[in-house]
Amino acid sequence: MKWKIILLLPIFLNAETFNDLIKYINKSNIVKIYQKNIEIQKEKLKQAKAKNYGKLDLEYDYMYLLDRPVMKMNSPQPIAAQNAGSAPLYPLVYKDIHSKLTVGKKSNFVGMLTYSYPVFTGYAISSFIDIEKLNVIKSKLKLDNLKRNLKLQTARIYAGIYALKQKIYALKEAQNALLSAKEKANALYKEGLINKSTLDEIDAKYYEIQAQKDEVKAQKKSLLNTLSYILNKKIESVSDIPQISLKKSRFLQRPDVKEIKNTLKITMKNIDLQKSNFYPKVYFQAGLKKEATDATLNNNDYRNIDSSYMALSFKYNIFNGGADKSKLQTAKLTKMKTYIFLRDYLNKVKTEYRNDILTLKAYEKRLVSANKEIKARRSYYEYIKAKFDEGLADVTDLNSAIAKLAEAKAKREYIKSQIFFYRLKANIDGGNQN
């Protein structure tokens, strides 16, 4: 007996409890992807906040002109003949004399340090920052909702694996019962009380159950593989189902509901953003600028080197075909649509919760019936086995009694697994994550 316990010990050690599996959810690759989405959204928030600090640019340009810059001048000159010391004989006649003056070189260098700041944008920047803050919250709620769904998915698979594991145990018990019956049948056969066909019938039933057991093992292995993929960890076996108690519903605490409420806030901020189009925009700019004819920006024989400046820009859109008005109306309609969607989603959530409770109560009633069925099936099996041992019952009746008892046990464990799942589902659907 001790060596059997030693052999089974690794199996028990490798069995994962449901609470263990929940901890592995954070190792899931899809969770890691959503975590990266949060980091990306935080970087977008930094980009939005940067607009509040203005912009400082350093620029250095070199330009080589194909022609040397010159300034053209037209100066009128009188050309009519005149007598010395007397008035002109004829009115004066002027002729334009064209001349050129060099005002620069072909090589030109410009260095500039510019700072620009949005003095007033109609609250566009602050609204945009608020939207990005809400988007960070939204990305976190998406992660929470993902974990909620993964927990449900894990629970469903866990319940399925547990039910299949218990079915395998029930089939093993049926095989052991058949082996025990075969030992008694061999004794009866040697005494000439039964024929060889009875032994063959027991063997046939044994291998039929073995085939069922192999099929169930394959189904169990498939679910374990799926669970391993979801949790990004090799899962070889699961433990018993934990006891779950129903908690009071808190629908507004569900992360998916919170996400929609957060989206509603975003639509309200988007209205403020679109309203900014109806305000004037004021920008301030200052620059330290030098224009020179050498790379060190220290020489210019034609004009002043220092071209530094300060500027104030005022911009106001008068007409753009009604586009701004349409954008504002679109934002308002989006807010109304989101609000309607939130109310509908809450109704859907409450309906799913009520259906969970109905399904749970149905399984709890079925469990009572399943326990009574097992009691009756066991009593019938013991009765038939006693009859068979005395040679008074047919092997077909014995096989049927063994199979039905195993089926009843497997059904009871399946019902228990579904009670566990729907209690957990009702809690999660009701807004209780933990």
Side-chain angles (χ1 to χ4, degrees), residues 140-155:
K140 292 179 179 179
L141 291 172
K142 281 182 177 291
L143 175 60
D144 290 341
N145 191 46
L146 171 69
K147 290 182 179 180
R148 182 184 76 89
N149 289 326
L150 287 178
K151 187 175 182 179
L152 277 174
Q153 194 172 0
T154 300

Side-chain angles (χ1 to χ4, degrees), residues 26 48 100 120 147 151 183 197 204 252 303 341 350 365 373 401 415:
N26 287 330
K100 295 181 180 179
F120 181 72
K147 290 182 179 180
K151 187 175 182 179
E183 290 179 4
S197 62
L252 295 179
R303 58 170 297 176
F341 178 75
K350 293 175 182 178
K365 291 179 179 179
E373 181 184 357
I415 293 171

Side-chain angles (χ1 to χ4, degrees), residues 189-221:
Y189 173 71
K190 289 177 181 179
E191 294 177 5
L193 298 177
I194 59 175
N195 54 32
K196 183 71 166 51
S197 62
T198 300
L199 296 176
D200 293 338
E201 181 67 20
I202 294 175
D203 286 337
K205 190 64 178 179
Y206 179 90
Y207 291 116
E208 178 187 340
I209 293 177
Q210 181 62 43
Q212 293 178 18
K213 192 169 68 173
D214 292 339
E215 181 180 357
V216 174
K217 283 182 177 180
Q219 294 173 357
K220 176 188 168 187
K221 182 63 177 177

Side-chain angles (χ1 to χ4, degrees), residues 165-382:
K165 184 176 71 170
Q166 295 303 318
K167 187 173 184 178
I168 292 171
Y169 289 159
L171 292 173
K172 284 181 180 179
E173 288 183 1
Q175 284 183 315
N176 292 334
L178 286 171
L179 291 176
S180 177
K182 186 176 180 180
E183 290 179 4
K184 186 64 178 179
N186 275 323
L188 295 175
Y189 173 71
K190 289 177 181 179
E191 294 177 5
L193 298 177
I194 59 175
N195 54 32
K196 183 71 166 51
S197 62
T198 300
L199 296 176
D200 293 338
E201 181 67 20
I202 294 175
D203 286 337
K205 190 64 178 179
Y206 179 90
Y207 291 116
E208 178 187 340
I209 293 177
Q210 181 62 43
Q212 293 178 18
K213 192 169 68 173
D214 292 339
E215 181 180 357
V216 174
K217 283 182 177 180
Q219 294 173 357
K220 176 188 168 187
K221 182 63 177 177
S222 177
L223 288 180
L224 284 170
N225 289 338
T226 302
L227 191 59
S228 298
Y229 164 73
I230 292 172
L231 301 178
N232 196 29
K233 187 182 187 304
K234 182 66 176 178
I235 307 298
E236 297 180 355
S237 179
V238 300
S239 185
D240 292 337
I241 52 178
Q243 294 296 321
I244 302 291
S245 58
L246 281 176
K247 299 178 181 179
K248 186 178 179 181
S249 60
R250 303 183 305 164
F251 300 115
L252 295 179
Q253 298 303 313
R254 282 180 50 151
D256 49 348
V257 174
K258 286 184 176 181
E259 182 186 341
I260 300 173
K261 292 176 67 177
N262 187 76
T263 301
L264 183 60
K265 293 180 181 178
I266 292 176
T267 60
M268 295 169 67
K269 287 297 179 181
N270 191 45
I271 291 175
D272 294 337
L273 181 62
Q274 299 307 322
K275 285 181 178 179
S276 68
N277 294 323
F278 296 92
Y279 290 93
K281 308 293 188 294
V282 181
Y283 297 91
F284 168 78
Q285 189 176 75
L288 298 175
K289 183 178 180 182
K290 284 188 175 183
E291 297 182 6
T293 55
D294 67 325
T296 61
L297 303 177
N298 289 319
N299 183 50
N300 195 328
D301 297 330
Y302 302 93
R303 58 170 297 176
N304 55 301
I305 296 176
D306 190 0
S307 299
S308 300
Y309 66 93
M310 286 194 301
L312 193 64
S313 172
F314 177 88
K315 183 179 179 181
Y316 183 73
N317 176 255
I318 298 177
F319 178 73
N320 66 348
D324 291 339
K325 185 178 180 181
S326 178
K327 289 178 182 178
L328 178 58
Q329 184 63 18
T330 300
K332 290 180 178 179
L333 290 172
T334 302
K335 173 194 169 183
M336 294 173 61
K337 184 187 76 170
T338 306
Y339 179 71
I340 295 171
F341 178 75
L342 174 60
R343 288 192 301 174
D344 180 72
Y345 195 82
L346 278 172
N347 290 335
K348 177 184 175 183
V349 164
K350 293 175 182 178
T351 301
E352 288 179 351
Y353 178 78
R354 288 192 289 266
N355 290 341
D356 292 339
I357 298 299
L358 289 174
T359 304
L360 175 61
K361 289 181 178 179
Y363 274 117
E364 288 173 344
K365 291 179 179 179
R366 286 180 62 183
L367 180 60
V368 175
S369 299
N371 285 326
K372 292 180 179 179
E373 181 184 357
I374 289 175
K375 185 177 180 180
R377 294 291 183 190
R378 183 179 288 111
S379 176
Y380 178 73
Y381 159 71
E382 291 173 354

Side-chain angles (χ1 to χ4, degrees), residues 14-226:
N14 290 332
E16 306 279 2
T17 66
F18 180 71
N19 290 332
D20 290 335
L21 298 184
I22 295 306
K23 295 176 183 177
Y24 300 149
I25 286 179
N26 287 330
K27 296 183 177 181
S28 173
N29 285 326
I30 187 66
V31 169
K32 293 177 182 178
I33 292 173
Y34 274 61
Q35 288 172 340
K36 292 300 177 184
N37 287 339
I38 294 175
E39 294 179 21
I40 291 172
Q41 196 56 54
K42 287 181 178 179
E43 293 301 321
K44 290 183 178 180
L45 175 58
K46 290 180 181 179
Q47 296 169 22
K49 287 182 176 180
K51 297 180 182 295
N52 243 350
Y53 303 112
K55 186 178 180 183
L56 184 65
D57 292 317
L58 178 63
E59 183 179 350
Y60 185 87
D61 298 321
Y62 168 69
M63 181 171 56
Y64 183 81
L65 302 176
L66 295 179
D67 293 324
R68 192 166 185 171
V70 296
M71 182 174 66
K72 295 180 180 180
M73 301 179 63
N74 296 325
S75 57
Q77 297 291 334
I79 59 174
Q82 300 180 14
N83 294 325
S86 63
L89 298 175
Y90 304 99
L92 292 177
V93 177
Y94 293 89
K95 180 181 180 181
D96 288 337
I97 304 300
H98 302 287
S99 60
K100 295 181 180 179
L101 179 65
T102 302
V103 293
K105 293 183 178 180
K106 289 186 176 182
S107 292
N108 293 271
F109 300 85
V110 178
M112 185 164 48
L113 182 64
T114 307
Y115 175 74
S116 55
Y117 181 79
V119 179
F120 181 72
T121 60
Y123 311 104
I125 293 178
S126 59
S127 297
F128 185 63
I129 292 174
D130 289 340
I131 288 174
E132 292 303 324
K133 286 180 180 178
L134 291 170
N135 279 330
V136 172
I137 297 174
K138 185 176 182 179
S139 61
K140 292 179 179 179
L141 291 172
K142 281 182 177 291
L143 175 60
D144 290 341
N145 191 46
L146 171 69
K147 290 182 179 180
R148 182 184 76 89
N149 289 326
L150 287 178
K151 187 175 182 179
L152 277 174
Q153 194 172 0
T154 300
R156 187 184 294 275
I157 296 174
Y158 188 94
I161 294 172
Y162 171 81
L164 292 174
K165 184 176 71 170
Q166 295 303 318
K167 187 173 184 178
I168 292 171
Y169 289 159
L171 292 173
K172 284 181 180 179
E173 288 183 1
Q175 284 183 315
N176 292 334
L178 286 171
L179 291 176
S180 177
K182 186 176 180 180
E183 290 179 4
K184 186 64 178 179
N186 275 323
L188 295 175
Y189 173 71
K190 289 177 181 179
E191 294 177 5
L193 298 177
I194 59 175
N195 54 32
K196 183 71 166 51
S197 62
T198 300
L199 296 176
D200 293 338
E201 181 67 20
I202 294 175
D203 286 337
K205 190 64 178 179
Y206 179 90
Y207 291 116
E208 178 187 340
I209 293 177
Q210 181 62 43
Q212 293 178 18
K213 192 169 68 173
D214 292 339
E215 181 180 357
V216 174
K217 283 182 177 180
Q219 294 173 357
K220 176 188 168 187
K221 182 63 177 177
S222 177
L223 288 180
L224 284 170
N225 289 338
T226 302

